[in-house]
Amino acid sequence: MKYLDEFRNGEIAQRVAREIHAITTRPWKIMEVCGGQTHSIIKNGIDQMLPVGVEMVHGPGCPVCVTPLELIDKALAIAAQPGVIFCSFGDMLRVPGTDSDLFQVKGRGGDVRVVYSPLDAVELAVKNPDRQVVFFGVGFETTAPANAMSVHLAKRRGLKNFSLLVSHVLVPPAIDAIMSSPGNQVQAFLAAGHVCSVMGYWEYPPLADQFNIPIIVTGFEPLDLLDGIRRAVIQLERGEHHVENAYERIVSYAGNLEAQRLLSEVFETTDRAWRGIGVIPRSGWKLNAAYRDFDAEERFHISGIRTVESPLCHAGDVLRGAIKPGECPAFGKECTPRRPLGATMVSSEGACAAYFNYGRFLSFEQLAGAGR
Amino acid sequence: MCLAIPGRVEEITSDGPIRMGRVNFGGVVKKVCLDYVPEIAVGDYAIVHVGFAISKVDEATAEETLATFRAMGVLDEELATEEEAFARAADRPQSNCPDGSCALPDSATSTEPQLLGKKYRQ
């Protein structure tokens, strides 16, 4: 609550919150899939403005967090090879592999570079013809068009020294997996606005029908999130389940067709392992046969990787929405943003980091029980 | 890294086969690919993710979103230079053992809030 006062729209937010209170007759669990939305909800205290029992469950929408440990270890192995320039976004530097991270690989002499755009990595390949340039392309549907364009350009330019270590994951199959998992308690979803700006929301109505869940496309501003929650609660209270677009300023039903065209030219659907969750069928994209030559996993045969997950880290349970970050025994003790055990504590989009940075050390139930 | 940051298109250039432009994000200017938003013109606002414009957006929404992201502290992270990204990473030491057993609580840092939950989490 203390942050919302800083917003010009604090009064409107309070009004929307009051409306949510007025229409709520029973407890509901609503999942926001996107890590950026998790960050905004916690930072702005939006979950604390809701009626008791209306709970925000934090989903697996942090690309850094769900990248499998094995892929991180592959990245570290490739980055350590002589003759390689390994390019990544800045948020991957401190994601712990089994026994190192990209930052430490650089400290030991690996040529690790942080780029703003995958096109910067293509430029590096052009300027360094005697080096192998690898770009670490992880992310959801939002990031995929950028990676698709980089590899498309590399092919057009006939570059033999550029490849992608790529692992894209997709939101709709994740919703399917969460709803199908035993013990699932999620009753409605906020869909990620920026993912939908690329993909549209035509993939969501079948999910809403199959699982009887309201799905609301929404943005990141406090008002957008509150409005999304309000619309979800209205549908839940009425027993309805359809897809609504609460982010029409940016999202259309069809999405960005230019981007989707290049995505279908470059990628094909594949099963993907999600860190902490396991393999979700047909939940990701990989380079298709026409672009296989640009796949870093094909170019660098990395073998003998043995991953060891920290036994103290419960990131998987957090990503599934099964526990809140504060319920992990390591939270705030062995595991802090300065010394993260798992990716959910590294990334600013990770639920654990959001809880730690904004002083959320207890679950809502514990707070309620503590006579707040 | 899934956030798209709104910015104002200041210039449109052609960079060989693709359409590029310079986009201003509240003072920080970056080179951005505009191929996915063919309708965009100088003076328009776009939301940009990892150097690619993915959608046009009106000015009011752009300013609102920019203010939100600035307050969240994610602008610096998204628009960081390479030096800034490494400096940020250097500031976050990691435990050296994979199971984390050598990582001690960071009570030495002044930013560490009080653990409210100690007495409830025995």
Side-chain angles (χ1 to χ4, degrees):
Chain A
M1 207 82 87
K2 74 178 191 208
Y3 295 101
L4 260 176
D5 297 341
E6 296 166 10
F7 280 87
R8 300 181 291 293
N9 295 320
E11 273 180 40
I12 308 175
Q14 295 289 355
R15 206 163 57 229
V16 179
R18 278 198 297 274
E19 189 185 338
I20 295 170
H21 279 258
I23 58 178
T24 302
T25 64
R26 64 191 116 150
W28 300 111
K29 283 195 186 345
I30 304 167
M31 176 177 273
E32 88 282 353
V33 180
C34 170
Q37 290 177 339
T38 302
H39 187 163
S40 185
I41 285 168
I42 302 304
K43 156 97 189 166
N44 294 299
I46 287 168
D47 53 335
Q48 295 176 333
M49 300 174 77
L50 302 176
V52 173
V54 174
E55 192 187 339
M56 296 312 294
V57 183
H58 314 307
C62 159
V64 174
C65 305
V66 299
T67 302
L69 188 56
E70 189 189 4
L71 196 76
I72 307 279
D73 285 350
K74 270 186 191 164
L76 300 177
I78 293 171
Q81 292 196 9
V84 166
I85 299 177
F86 193 88
C87 303
S88 160
F89 297 132
D91 58 358
M92 296 304 289
L93 287 176
R94 276 304 193 183
V95 175
T98 294
D99 51 18
S100 184
D101 61 32
L102 281 171
F103 185 81
Q104 292 172 336
V105 168
K106 184 182 172 75
R108 293 196 289 265
D111 192 347
V112 176
R113 317 249 183 126
V114 169
V115 294
Y116 168 61
S117 158
L119 294 184
D120 300 340
V122 175
E123 282 311 309
L124 278 170
V126 172
K127 286 183 182 140
N128 297 276
D130 55 335
R131 308 276 298 276
Q132 280 292 332
V133 175
V134 182
F135 179 71
F136 196 11
V138 296
F140 278 86
E141 294 97 322
T142 327
T143 315
N147 295 337
M149 181 70 82
S150 71
V151 74
H152 172 78
L153 279 177
K155 187 174 183 175
R156 247 169 64 173
R157 289 177 164 189
L159 293 179
K160 299 281 179 238
N161 65 328
F162 176 83
S163 59
L164 279 183
L165 182 63
V166 63
S167 172
H168 279 302
V169 283
L170 311 174
V171 171
I175 291 182
D176 191 325
I178 288 163
M179 291 308 298
S180 306
S181 66
N184 165 62
Q185 298 183 336
V186 178
Q187 295 159 299
F189 281 87
L190 301 186
H194 290 163
V195 166
C196 293
S197 71
V198 172
M199 296 305 295
Y201 54 95
W202 47 271
E203 296 170 288
Y204 294 87
L207 288 166
D209 287 343
Q210 184 188 346
F211 296 109
N212 297 331
I213 41 171
I215 301 176
I216 318 290
V217 180
T218 187
F220 302 83
E221 294 80 358
L223 279 184
D224 282 320
L225 287 159
L226 279 165
D227 186 44
I229 295 164
R230 181 184 66 90
R231 293 180 188 223
V233 171
I234 289 174
Q235 281 199 44
L236 288 165
E237 290 282 344
R238 290 178 182 164
E240 293 173 3
H241 50 85
H242 43 260
V243 180
E244 282 184 59
N245 183 4
Y247 207 36
E248 283 177 338
R249 311 196 296 282
I250 286 183
V251 174
S252 66
Y253 179 76
N256 186 322
L257 297 176
E258 302 277 339
Q260 289 173 39
R261 195 168 54 235
L262 197 64
L263 290 172
S264 60
E265 184 195 314
V266 171
F267 294 121
E268 64 183 36
T269 308
T270 182
D271 299 350
R272 278 274 177 233
W274 296 52
R275 190 171 189 173
I277 294 176
V279 174
I280 303 179
R282 304 182 57 73
S283 66
W285 286 326
K286 66 175 183 184
L287 291 170
N288 65 23
Y291 286 88
R292 194 81 8 111
D293 292 348
F294 295 88
D295 187 340
E297 291 192 72
E298 302 278 329
R299 190 165 300 187
F300 300 85
H301 287 287
I302 305 293
S303 57
I305 286 189
R306 288 178 56 247
T307 58
V308 184
E309 285 278 10
S310 163
L312 296 175
C313 173
H314 290 255
D317 297 332
V318 172
L319 288 166
R320 273 198 309 276
I323 65 168
K324 286 279 195 297
E327 291 163 21
C328 171
F331 179 85
K333 293 178 182 165
E334 296 88 350
C335 183
T336 67
R338 289 184 59 80
R339 290 191 173 166
L341 294 184
T344 43
M345 191 59 102
V346 177
S347 166
S348 64
E349 291 184 19
C352 296
Y355 270 60
F356 187 91
N357 291 329
Y358 301 115
R360 300 290 186 83
F361 288 92
L362 291 172
S363 69
F364 184 81
E365 290 78 6
Q366 287 169 300
L367 278 170
R372 185 172 49 153
Chain B
M1 210 66 203
C2 244
L3 296 177
I5 309 288
R8 185 177 176 276
V9 179
E10 295 196 333
E11 184 190 1
I12 295 178
T13 54
S14 225
D15 193 355
I18 53 173
R19 201 159 165 255
M20 298 291 291
R22 296 176 66 75
V23 176
N24 188 325
F25 304 94
V28 180
V29 179
K30 294 272 188 191
K31 229 170 91 172
V32 166
C33 173
L34 303 173
D35 256 24
Y36 293 131
V37 284
E39 74 281 8
I40 210 113
V42 169
D44 286 344
Y45 285 78
I47 56 168
V48 176
H49 177 61
V50 298
F52 283 73
I54 52 177
S55 174
K56 203 176 142 178
V57 60
D58 63 273
E59 184 177 355
T61 298
E63 293 300 336
E64 187 73 32
T65 307
L66 213 49
T68 299
F69 289 167
R70 186 171 285 124
M72 278 164 62
V74 294
L75 270 193
D76 299 345
E77 194 175 346
E78 289 280 330
L79 301 171
T81 62
E82 185 169 32
E83 293 72 28
E84 287 164 346
F86 277 113
R88 184 190 301 265
D91 193 40
R92 303 172 76 159
Q94 263 207 305
S95 54
N96 298 322
C97 54
D99 72 350
S101 55
C102 60
L104 296 165
D106 245 339
S107 50
T109 61
S110 57
T111 53
E112 178 107 10
Q114 286 302 303
L115 285 183
L116 301 169
K118 273 187 178 151
K119 61 182 176 194
Y120 302 101
R121 287 192 302 172
Q122 295 306 324

